[in-house]
Amino acid sequence: MISTPVSTSDRLGRLRELMANPKYNISAYVVPSEDAHQSEYVASCDQRRAFISGFDGSAGCAVITMDKAAMFTDGRYFLQARKQMDENWTLMKRGMPGVPSWQEYLVDHLPEGTRVGVDPAVIVASEGDRLKKALQAKGSGGDLVSIEDNLVDKVWGTERPPQPKNKVFVQDIKYAGELHVDKIARVREEIKKEGVDGLVISALDEIAWLLNLRGSDIDYNPVFMAYVLVTKSDVTLYIDDSKLTKTVCEHLGAITVKPYQEIFNNLAEHSTALLQSKRQFSVSTTASLALVQALGTDNVKIGMPPVTSLKALKNAAEIEGMRQCHIRDGAAMANYFGWLENELLRGDGNLRLTEVDVADKLEEFRRAEEHCVGLSFSTISAVGANGAIIHYSPQRDTDAKMDTSQMYLCDSGGQYLDGTTDVTRTYHFGEPTKWQRECFTRVLKGHIALDNAVFPSGTSGYALDPLARFSLWELGLDFRHSTGHGVGSFLNVHEGPQLIGMRKSSMDFGLRPNMTITNEPGYYEDGNFGIRIENTCVVIKVDTPYDYTGGAGFLKLDPVTMVPIQKKLVLPELFTDVERKWLNSYHQLVWEKVSPLLEKGGLGYEWLKRETALM
């Protein structure tokens, strides 16, 4: 995370010179990224957006005109973006009254005839198509112009970091739970049902899942840059073959391997035959405009690819792996909080240790656990007001000192060979105020309400989301992020299509048995503190006296995260008997699962013992 604003005057000046060049002749340029965690281009978008603006959050869209620069992002990043961007930039708070979307801004707030440039490899095809039609409808020469020369890259020049060259390795079948050839067979069955001739897979986590492969050392998500084309008779992997070891090649067997960029030539070759036969290839809703242009729009069927839903429904090996890695992760967290509390309360640790110091120590404890290969994302270690920055990430030399008079929010996770973890806890190591305790209690009440809910299979996350907010709503409070996201199995810490939230996309795909989903309501008071309580859960079937669904059954969330929730922050008068029972039962389970992994009498053991005692 960039800690102070970067001067962007020179960078924007050079970009505008390129925009005015007759070769491009555009009056606006877009660097999009809509938090599409699984797309083939998101990492490049984030890097480019950070370079040109200074803002390095995972969701945002930069729009640069000849005299303005605007950054569109959502409530998770309002504070962060304001801190990171210099005076050249205007923050557009997406979702707030009177604030247009970046698409509306381009169509309705810029002069008629605006030619908007974009790299077709970094914009979703469906979005590009809608924007192009809207610009053209205004007349006077307005248009969306595909520019294969990424203009931000041209400004960046040789200083831009190279693409990762990490090696690919085979995921052990005992963790994958299913052979890749069997997964491919299931995908082909879905392609047949869909009535298309092939499937282009561009989401990196879907490629890794389908082929039982993982990448090493790539920004917390064990994926790798590649495309896959599945037809009725062939499977082709497009990748830099220097990333493939002999073991991986043997694992791939009959799968054809071609250079990464060759996908565009091959799709263009297929386009003629598809057009003549009036057949189509299927591509994802997150596929880039460049892919669709290579195939031809008439030859493309855009929709949710079968790999997305197949991957979301975890098999028995993946479920067991998620449960086991979370127990070990719980041991790491107990050792961490036991150590941290001891350091802070003995005197010299308070105001000596920093947010980065303690985050590094947490990573040390986590990496000591069996099968841990790294972090699943950059640790959010946030003291006091920094906790109100929803996706805060501390940086050495600018991070805050640990302070027992302030709330401490820690959102962290690990990548294990058998699963991925994501957990948030909020603690106070001193004396919290009554207001802080009330806010915490109301967040916890929402967490428990969602955890206790029993609902029909297929219920959308949109329908469940209010359960996590009702207690906050009673005071006129809320939080500006989704309540839950999917979690991959030794894959991306954010996984779709499942989502619990108020966004329209949370209505698209209902919850089903064997999905993973987080439960993470929060509350954030600017300039003061932040609260979030997050468990990763597995969606399980429950027995009910009756079954109105006619066989689909009823479901609930089953938490696999094994970390205590601080009882000191709970206001007993706001807690019901049902909620107290839930907390005591959860803590008993945490003690039973985690304590055998801790050194008896050690700091972690004693901390866990106290924190899981009956309330």
Side-chain angles (χ1 to χ4, degrees):
M1 176 175 167
I2 299 169
S3 54
T4 56
V6 175
S7 176
T8 62
S9 297
D10 178 65
R11 297 172 184 180
L12 288 171
R14 286 186 284 150
L15 177 60
R16 286 169 177 144
E17 287 178 5
L18 288 169
M19 291 163 58
N21 187 310
K23 179 179 179 181
Y24 306 117
N25 186 29
I26 56 174
S27 49
Y29 191 70
V30 180
V31 184
S33 171
E34 291 299 293
D35 206 16
H37 301 285
Q38 305 161 27
S39 72
E40 79 273 17
Y41 51 82
V42 130
S44 296
C45 284
D46 290 347
Q47 291 173 359
R48 290 165 176 142
R49 185 167 21 81
F51 170 78
I52 202 65
S53 71
F55 169 56
D56 63 1
S58 68
C61 178
V63 176
I64 301 99
T65 67
M66 299 308 292
D67 60 351
K68 293 183 177 67
M71 178 61 66
F72 297 78
T73 191
D74 61 42
R76 293 171 297 170
Y77 297 102
F78 290 167
L79 293 178
Q80 179 180 333
R82 188 184 303 144
K83 282 188 172 186
Q84 291 182 327
M85 296 190 301
D86 67 8
E87 69 281 356
N88 290 302
W89 289 83
T90 300
L91 174 60
M92 307 295 284
K93 297 181 177 181
R94 195 172 74 191
M96 300 299 287
V99 178
S101 67
W102 66 268
Q103 299 93 332
E104 292 168 340
Y105 179 82
L106 287 169
V107 175
D108 299 329
H109 294 259
L110 295 182
E112 286 189 15
T114 296
R115 283 169 50 86
V116 178
V118 69
D119 178 351
V122 299
I123 187 170
V124 173
S126 56
E127 190 57 64
D129 183 60
R130 283 194 295 270
L131 183 57
K132 187 177 184 71
K133 289 177 179 176
L135 289 168
Q136 290 176 341
K138 290 194 70 174
S140 303
D143 200 1
L144 181 69
V145 182
S146 292
I147 301 175
E148 293 183 7
D149 298 329
N150 190 284
L151 299 190
V152 174
D153 287 354
K154 281 185 165 292
V155 173
W156 209 341
T158 58
E159 295 181 4
R160 186 191 175 196
Q163 289 289 342
K165 294 286 187 180
N166 58 304
K167 294 289 186 181
V168 175
F169 64 93
V170 179
Q171 185 190 30
D172 196 307
I173 187 63
K174 68 182 178 182
Y175 303 130
E178 182 180 14
L179 295 172
H180 70 287
V181 291
D182 293 332
K183 292 179 179 180
I184 291 169
R186 286 204 288 152
V187 168
R188 280 198 170 116
E189 284 297 316
E190 295 300 319
I191 291 174
K192 184 178 179 181
K193 293 177 186 176
E194 196 176 346
V196 294
D197 283 2
L199 169 67
V200 181
I201 307 174
S202 55
L204 305 187
D205 61 334
E206 294 179 1
I207 294 169
W209 175 85
L210 179 67
L211 301 181
N212 287 349
L213 296 176
R214 297 294 186 269
S216 58
D217 303 323
I218 180 167
D219 293 333
Y220 310 115
N221 294 322
V223 295
F224 46 92
M225 298 296 289
Y227 296 101
V228 165
L229 174 60
V230 180
T231 67
K232 296 175 181 178
S233 57
D234 300 297
V235 178
T236 304
L237 170 64
Y238 298 88
I239 189 172
D240 177 354
D241 62 7
S242 68
K243 299 180 180 182
L244 305 181
T245 64
K246 181 181 178 182
T247 301
V248 171
C249 291
E250 291 173 350
H251 166 81
L252 292 173
I255 294 174
T256 302
V257 176
K258 293 186 177 182
Y260 179 72
Q261 290 290 341
E262 189 65 20
I263 179 77
F264 298 103
N265 292 331
N266 283 180
L267 292 181
E269 292 166 0
H270 280 290
S271 66
T272 302
L274 290 171
L275 192 62
Q276 290 175 347
S277 62
K278 296 184 179 181
R279 302 288 294 175
Q280 292 179 314
F281 276 1
S282 177
V283 301
S284 170
T285 51
T286 63
S288 69
L289 180 60
L291 282 176
V292 172
Q293 287 178 337
L295 263 174
T297 54
D298 291 337
N299 303 324
V300 169
K301 183 176 183 180
I302 297 177
M304 181 187 295
V307 184
T308 304
S309 55
L310 293 174
K311 175 174 57 66
L313 303 175
K314 304 294 184 278
N315 60 45
E318 291 171 322
I319 293 291
E320 181 61 18
M322 290 293 280
R323 292 189 184 281
Q324 293 304 318
C325 76
H326 276 84
I327 294 171
R328 298 193 302 275
D329 203 64
M333 295 292 286
N335 282 325
Y336 169 64
F337 280 115
W339 167 83
L340 179 58
E341 182 182 73
N342 182 69
E343 289 290 311
L344 296 178
L345 299 186
R346 74 182 188 183
D348 63 338
N350 194 32
L351 299 178
R352 172 178 61 84
L353 294 169
T354 69
E355 293 167 326
V356 171
D357 290 334
V358 300
D360 289 347
K361 190 67 176 180
L362 173 55
E363 181 176 355
E364 180 183 319
F365 280 120
R366 195 166 253 133
R367 285 183 179 274
E369 294 298 325
E370 185 181 18
H371 300 324
C372 182
V373 296
L375 304 184
S376 55
F377 57 96
S378 179
T379 298
I380 300 172
S381 175
V383 174
N386 289 337
I389 302 173
I390 296 173
H391 278 193
Y392 173 75
S393 181
Q395 298 297 302
R396 183 71 69 184
D397 299 329
T398 60
D399 55 332
K401 299 284 188 180
M402 298 298 294
D403 186 348
T404 55
S405 70
Q406 301 287 328
M407 299 278 272
Y408 174 62
L409 185 153
C410 182
D411 186 346
S412 66
Q415 289 288 7
Y416 296 82
L417 294 176
D418 51 351
T420 301
T421 69
D422 185 4
V423 52
T424 308
R425 289 294 182 266
T426 307
Y427 288 101
H428 201 300
F429 297 100
E431 293 300 323
T433 66
K434 186 175 181 180
W435 174 242
Q436 288 172 332
R437 294 180 70 194
E438 176 162 0
C439 293
F440 181 91
T441 304
R442 289 185 178 276
V443 171
L444 180 54
K445 287 170 73 71
H447 180 99
I448 294 171
L450 181 56
D451 191 274
N452 276 337
V454 175
F455 50 90
S457 182
T459 298
S460 73
Y462 187 86
L464 295 172
D465 183 78
L467 295 172
R469 302 178 191 263
F470 279 145
S471 187
L472 288 168
W473 285 352
E474 289 174 349
L475 291 187
L477 305 178
D478 206 345
F479 53 94
R480 291 193 181 107
H481 60 74
S482 296
T483 300
H485 59 81
V487 180
S489 177
F490 186 31
L491 267 177
N492 292 6
V493 73
H494 281 213
E495 175 179 273
Q498 65 271 38
L499 178 72
I500 299 175
M502 301 184 74
R503 284 191 271 172
K504 181 182 177 182
S505 56
S506 65
M507 293 188 283
D508 294 343
F509 203 88
L511 297 186
R512 300 176 186 176
N514 298 329
M515 284 183 166
T516 53
I517 193 83
T518 61
N519 175 0
E520 51 178 307
Y523 173 68
Y524 310 90
E525 197 163 279
D526 292 0
N528 197 350
F529 62 85
I531 296 166
R532 187 160 62 252
I533 303 169
E534 177 186 20
N535 280 352
T536 298
C537 307
V538 174
V539 182
I540 61 171
K541 276 195 171 185
V542 292
D543 292 328
T544 54
Y546 308 98
D547 185 3
Y548 188 77
T549 68
F554 283 75
L555 311 174
K556 75 177 304 293
L557 306 186
D558 183 29
V560 295
T561 297
M562 294 289 132
V563 182
I565 297 166
Q566 192 175 45
K567 301 187 296 293
K568 181 172 74 174
L569 280 168
V570 175
L571 273 181
E573 58 266 34
L574 289 180
F575 238 34
T576 66
D577 290 341
V578 169
E579 291 162 344
R580 184 175 287 101
K581 180 181 178 182
W582 182 94
L583 188 59
N584 284 332
S585 296
Y586 175 69
H587 280 161
Q588 181 180 0
L589 180 63
V590 171
W591 172 254
E592 291 173 355
K593 296 289 187 181
V594 177
S595 62
L597 301 184
L598 301 173
E599 179 184 354
K600 197 167 186 178
L603 292 174
Y605 184 92
E606 294 302 321
W607 177 86
L608 186 73
K609 184 177 181 180
R610 186 186 72 246
E611 292 296 323
T612 58
L614 291 176
M615 180 178 175

